Amino acid sequence: LRRPAFRSPPPHPSGERPPRIPAERMPAHVAVIMDGNGRWAQRHGLPRHEGHRAGAAAVRDVVHGALEIGLRHLTLYAFSTENWKRDPEETSAILDLLRQETRAYPFEDLDVRMRWHGRADNLPQDLVDLLDMRERSTRDRAGLTVTTCVNYGGRDEIARTAAALARRARSGRLDPDLIGEQDFAEHLPRPDMPDVDLLWRTGNEQRTSNFLPWQAAYAELHFTPDHWPDVDRRDLWRAITEYTRRQRRHGAAGPAPHEPATAPREGA
Ligand code: IPE
Ligand code: IPE
Ligand code: MG
């Protein structure tokens, strides 16, 4: 079977090109809390659903920028388990937009693998079918994996994982006394999702709102003031560039302050 030839993403209208990031500094997985659609709409005197529509355009641009910079995993928080608290008019507008974007699929001829993550049971069945269909239709693509979190909640994910572990223990195939982090990770609904390196939230709020608590346990955090519809791929590039300057330690000791970077020359 011949691999389809993928197009390269359209450049940003400004003509700006992605910064060159050394491979060893590049985050493998960037997760984004796309916040501020409602406030953006309010600022423009528009109904909230117009904010979500404008947000969808920002998503397209950021996905193009992720491809250009060579990111492997981009995960987007589109609708949380807590967002059901909103007016039904707004929740159905958000789900409608997700339907439209999944159906239209603006990334058709790009090397983008689409996946989704979240609870299927209280979502409209036709949306679940669409998301599953898109996942199947792009599963052989190897460039950028874009995971859309729909009806996603971190505590819900952890509770479901605990239930999966309990079922396995009850079946006698897992000893509860030996359950460790690796077992937990293997029973997550999306066990192959890598750890989040960089968690970026727009919209001027400094919280993680139940997003990927397991995968982002050691993520570098990046908060920006702009409302999501005002964001474009260059903000993703800035976030990644800033990430490259972070010193990640994962609990280990940092370099001693006076330690020379290279061994001193003999006799020096
Ligand atoms: C984020 O924007 C999108 C969703 C939560 C679906 P908001 O709709 O939360 O926008 P603000 O925070 O009210 O401005
Ligand atoms: C987080 O934004 C959820 C999404 C972006 C989908 P919210 O706007 O729902 O978060 P809170 O309510 O400000 O914590
Ligand atoms: Mg919000």
Short mmCIF file of all heavy atoms in Angstrom, two decimals, residues 3 12 20 24-25 43 65 88 100 117 119 121 131 152 170 185-186 196 208-209 215 221 225-226 233 266-267:
data_model
loop_
_atom_site.label_atom_id
_atom_site.label_comp_id
_atom_site.label_asym_id
_atom_site.label_seq_id
_atom_site.Cartn_x
_atom_site.Cartn_y
_atom_site.Cartn_z
N ARG A 3 1.84 4.97 0.75
CA ARG A 3 1.47 6.01 1.72
C ARG A 3 0.97 7.23 0.97
O ARG A 3 1.55 7.63 -0.03
CB ARG A 3 2.70 6.41 2.54
CG ARG A 3 2.91 5.54 3.78
CD ARG A 3 4.20 5.94 4.46
NE ARG A 3 4.17 7.35 4.87
CZ ARG A 3 3.59 7.78 5.98
NH1 ARG A 3 3.00 6.93 6.78
NH2 ARG A 3 3.62 9.05 6.29
N HIS A 12 1.77 30.64 8.24
CA HIS A 12 1.04 31.70 8.93
C HIS A 12 0.99 32.93 8.02
O HIS A 12 1.97 33.22 7.32
CB HIS A 12 1.72 32.04 10.26
CG HIS A 12 0.90 32.99 11.07
ND1 HIS A 12 1.14 34.34 11.08
CD2 HIS A 12 -0.18 32.78 11.87
CE1 HIS A 12 0.23 34.93 11.86
NE2 HIS A 12 -0.57 34.01 12.36
N ARG A 20 13.83 27.07 15.16
CA ARG A 20 14.46 25.74 15.12
C ARG A 20 14.79 25.33 16.55
O ARG A 20 15.53 26.03 17.25
CB ARG A 20 15.73 25.77 14.28
CG ARG A 20 15.54 25.07 12.95
CD ARG A 20 16.85 24.89 12.22
NE ARG A 20 17.34 26.15 11.67
CZ ARG A 20 16.93 26.65 10.50
NH1 ARG A 20 16.09 25.99 9.76
NH2 ARG A 20 17.41 27.79 10.07
N GLU A 24 16.70 17.49 21.30
CA GLU A 24 16.70 17.05 22.69
C GLU A 24 16.00 18.04 23.63
O GLU A 24 15.72 17.74 24.76
CB GLU A 24 18.13 16.73 23.17
CG GLU A 24 19.05 17.93 23.39
CD GLU A 24 19.63 18.50 22.09
OE1 GLU A 24 19.29 18.02 21.00
OE2 GLU A 24 20.42 19.46 22.20
N ARG A 25 15.69 19.24 23.12
CA ARG A 25 15.00 20.25 23.91
C ARG A 25 13.50 20.31 23.60
O ARG A 25 12.74 21.02 24.23
CB ARG A 25 15.60 21.65 23.65
CG ARG A 25 17.03 21.79 24.05
CD ARG A 25 17.15 22.60 25.32
NE ARG A 25 17.43 21.74 26.44
CZ ARG A 25 17.39 22.14 27.72
NH1 ARG A 25 17.06 23.36 28.02
NH2 ARG A 25 17.66 21.29 28.70
N ARG A 43 -16.20 40.59 25.05
CA ARG A 43 -15.46 41.79 24.69
C ARG A 43 -15.86 42.32 23.32
O ARG A 43 -15.76 43.52 23.05
CB ARG A 43 -13.95 41.49 24.72
CG ARG A 43 -13.11 42.66 25.22
CD ARG A 43 -11.62 42.39 25.10
NE ARG A 43 -11.23 42.10 23.74
CZ ARG A 43 -10.31 41.20 23.39
NH1 ARG A 43 -9.67 40.51 24.31
NH2 ARG A 43 -10.01 41.02 22.12
N GLY A 65 0.76 25.08 13.17
CA GLY A 65 2.04 25.45 13.78
C GLY A 65 2.72 24.30 14.49
O GLY A 65 3.95 24.21 14.52
N PRO A 88 -27.64 24.88 28.65
CA PRO A 88 -27.71 23.86 27.58
C PRO A 88 -27.52 24.46 26.19
O PRO A 88 -27.02 23.80 25.27
CB PRO A 88 -29.11 23.26 27.73
CG PRO A 88 -29.63 23.70 29.04
CD PRO A 88 -28.83 24.85 29.53
N GLN A 100 -19.10 19.69 13.64
CA GLN A 100 -18.75 20.33 12.37
C GLN A 100 -17.27 20.18 12.05
O GLN A 100 -16.90 19.84 10.93
CB GLN A 100 -19.07 21.83 12.42
CG GLN A 100 -20.53 22.17 12.27
CD GLN A 100 -20.80 23.63 12.60
OE1 GLN A 100 -19.96 24.49 12.33
NE2 GLN A 100 -21.93 23.91 13.20
N HIS A 117 -10.47 11.77 23.60
CA HIS A 117 -10.32 11.24 24.94
C HIS A 117 -11.42 11.83 25.80
O HIS A 117 -11.64 13.04 25.78
CB HIS A 117 -8.93 11.66 25.46
CG HIS A 117 -8.56 11.06 26.77
ND1 HIS A 117 -9.13 9.91 27.26
CD2 HIS A 117 -7.66 11.46 27.70
CE1 HIS A 117 -8.58 9.63 28.44
NE2 HIS A 117 -7.70 10.55 28.74
N ARG A 119 -15.30 10.70 28.30
CA ARG A 119 -16.38 9.76 28.58
C ARG A 119 -17.36 9.76 27.43
O ARG A 119 -17.91 10.81 27.08
CB ARG A 119 -17.16 10.25 29.79
CG ARG A 119 -16.75 9.74 31.09
CD ARG A 119 -17.86 10.04 32.08
NE ARG A 119 -18.70 8.87 32.22
CZ ARG A 119 -18.47 7.95 33.14
NH1 ARG A 119 -17.49 8.09 33.99
NH2 ARG A 119 -19.25 6.89 33.21
N ASP A 121 -20.27 8.03 27.50
CA ASP A 121 -21.66 7.65 27.83
C ASP A 121 -22.69 8.78 27.87
O ASP A 121 -23.82 8.55 27.51
CB ASP A 121 -21.72 6.77 29.08
CG ASP A 121 -21.08 7.43 30.29
OD1 ASP A 121 -20.68 8.59 30.17
OD2 ASP A 121 -20.99 6.78 31.35
N LEU A 131 -16.44 11.05 16.14
CA LEU A 131 -15.08 11.10 16.72
C LEU A 131 -14.37 9.76 16.52
O LEU A 131 -13.19 9.73 16.15
CB LEU A 131 -15.15 11.46 18.20
CG LEU A 131 -15.63 12.89 18.54
CD1 LEU A 131 -16.00 13.01 20.03
CD2 LEU A 131 -14.56 13.92 18.17
N TYR A 152 -14.20 15.32 29.04
CA TYR A 152 -13.05 14.79 29.77
C TYR A 152 -12.98 15.41 31.16
O TYR A 152 -13.18 16.62 31.33
CB TYR A 152 -11.74 15.09 29.02
CG TYR A 152 -10.54 14.70 29.87
CD1 TYR A 152 -10.07 13.39 29.86
CD2 TYR A 152 -9.97 15.61 30.77
CE1 TYR A 152 -9.04 13.01 30.70
CE2 TYR A 152 -8.94 15.23 31.61
CZ TYR A 152 -8.47 13.92 31.56
OH TYR A 152 -7.47 13.54 32.41
N ARG A 170 -10.32 -8.52 40.77
CA ARG A 170 -11.42 -9.46 41.06
C ARG A 170 -11.31 -10.70 40.20
O ARG A 170 -11.63 -11.81 40.63
CB ARG A 170 -12.76 -8.77 40.84
CG ARG A 170 -13.93 -9.59 41.37
CD ARG A 170 -15.24 -8.88 41.18
NE ARG A 170 -15.43 -8.46 39.79
CZ ARG A 170 -16.41 -7.66 39.39
NH1 ARG A 170 -17.25 -7.17 40.27
NH2 ARG A 170 -16.53 -7.32 38.12
N ALA A 185 -0.88 3.12 35.17
CA ALA A 185 -0.69 3.74 33.84
C ALA A 185 -1.22 2.82 32.74
O ALA A 185 -1.80 3.30 31.76
CB ALA A 185 0.79 4.05 33.63
N GLU A 186 -1.04 1.52 32.90
CA GLU A 186 -1.49 0.57 31.87
C GLU A 186 -3.00 0.42 31.81
O GLU A 186 -3.54 -0.08 30.82
CB GLU A 186 -0.84 -0.79 32.09
CG GLU A 186 0.61 -0.82 31.66
CD GLU A 186 1.38 -2.03 32.18
OE1 GLU A 186 0.73 -2.98 32.68
OE2 GLU A 186 2.62 -2.01 32.10
N VAL A 196 2.71 14.55 29.76
CA VAL A 196 2.70 15.92 29.23
C VAL A 196 3.99 16.62 29.66
O VAL A 196 4.34 16.62 30.84
CB VAL A 196 1.48 16.69 29.78
CG1 VAL A 196 1.52 18.16 29.36
CG2 VAL A 196 0.18 16.04 29.35
N THR A 208 -5.49 24.29 36.71
CA THR A 208 -5.47 23.24 35.69
C THR A 208 -6.85 22.62 35.46
O THR A 208 -7.02 21.82 34.53
CB THR A 208 -4.43 22.14 36.02
OG1 THR A 208 -4.72 21.61 37.31
CG2 THR A 208 -3.02 22.72 36.04
N SER A 209 -7.84 22.98 36.27
CA SER A 209 -9.24 22.63 36.01
C SER A 209 -9.45 21.16 35.60
O SER A 209 -10.11 20.87 34.61
CB SER A 209 -9.82 23.56 34.94
OG SER A 209 -9.77 24.91 35.37
N GLN A 215 -1.17 12.43 33.73
CA GLN A 215 -0.15 12.61 32.68
C GLN A 215 0.66 13.90 32.86
O GLN A 215 1.78 13.99 32.38
CB GLN A 215 -0.82 12.64 31.30
CG GLN A 215 -1.58 11.39 30.91
CD GLN A 215 -3.01 11.36 31.43
OE1 GLN A 215 -3.40 12.16 32.29
NE2 GLN A 215 -3.80 10.44 30.92
N LEU A 221 4.53 24.28 33.51
CA LEU A 221 3.29 25.05 33.35
C LEU A 221 3.57 26.38 32.67
O LEU A 221 4.59 27.02 32.93
CB LEU A 221 2.63 25.29 34.72
CG LEU A 221 2.38 24.03 35.56
CD1 LEU A 221 1.73 24.41 36.89
CD2 LEU A 221 1.51 23.03 34.82
N PRO A 225 -2.04 35.40 29.13
CA PRO A 225 -3.24 36.21 29.37
C PRO A 225 -4.25 36.22 28.21
O PRO A 225 -5.42 36.48 28.43
CB PRO A 225 -2.68 37.62 29.61
CG PRO A 225 -1.34 37.63 28.95
CD PRO A 225 -0.83 36.23 28.98
N ASP A 226 -3.82 35.96 26.99
CA ASP A 226 -4.72 36.12 25.85
C ASP A 226 -5.92 35.16 25.91
O ASP A 226 -5.78 34.03 26.34
CB ASP A 226 -3.98 35.85 24.54
CG ASP A 226 -2.99 36.95 24.22
OD1 ASP A 226 -3.11 38.04 24.80
OD2 ASP A 226 -2.08 36.69 23.41
N ARG A 233 -0.52 30.24 15.99
CA ARG A 233 0.58 29.28 16.10
C ARG A 233 1.84 29.89 16.71
O ARG A 233 2.65 29.20 17.31
CB ARG A 233 0.89 28.66 14.73
CG ARG A 233 1.53 29.61 13.74
CD ARG A 233 1.68 28.97 12.37
NE ARG A 233 0.43 28.99 11.63
CZ ARG A 233 0.28 28.45 10.42
NH1 ARG A 233 1.28 27.84 9.82
NH2 ARG A 233 -0.88 28.53 9.78
N GLU A 266 44.15 19.88 32.71
CA GLU A 266 45.20 19.39 33.61
C GLU A 266 46.19 20.50 33.92
O GLU A 266 46.60 21.23 33.02
CB GLU A 266 45.93 18.21 32.93
CG GLU A 266 46.69 17.36 33.92
CD GLU A 266 46.42 15.88 33.70
OE1 GLU A 266 45.80 15.54 32.68
OE2 GLU A 266 46.83 15.09 34.51
N GLY A 267 46.52 20.67 35.20
CA GLY A 267 47.48 21.68 35.59
C GLY A 267 46.85 23.06 35.74
O GLY A 267 47.48 23.98 36.24
#
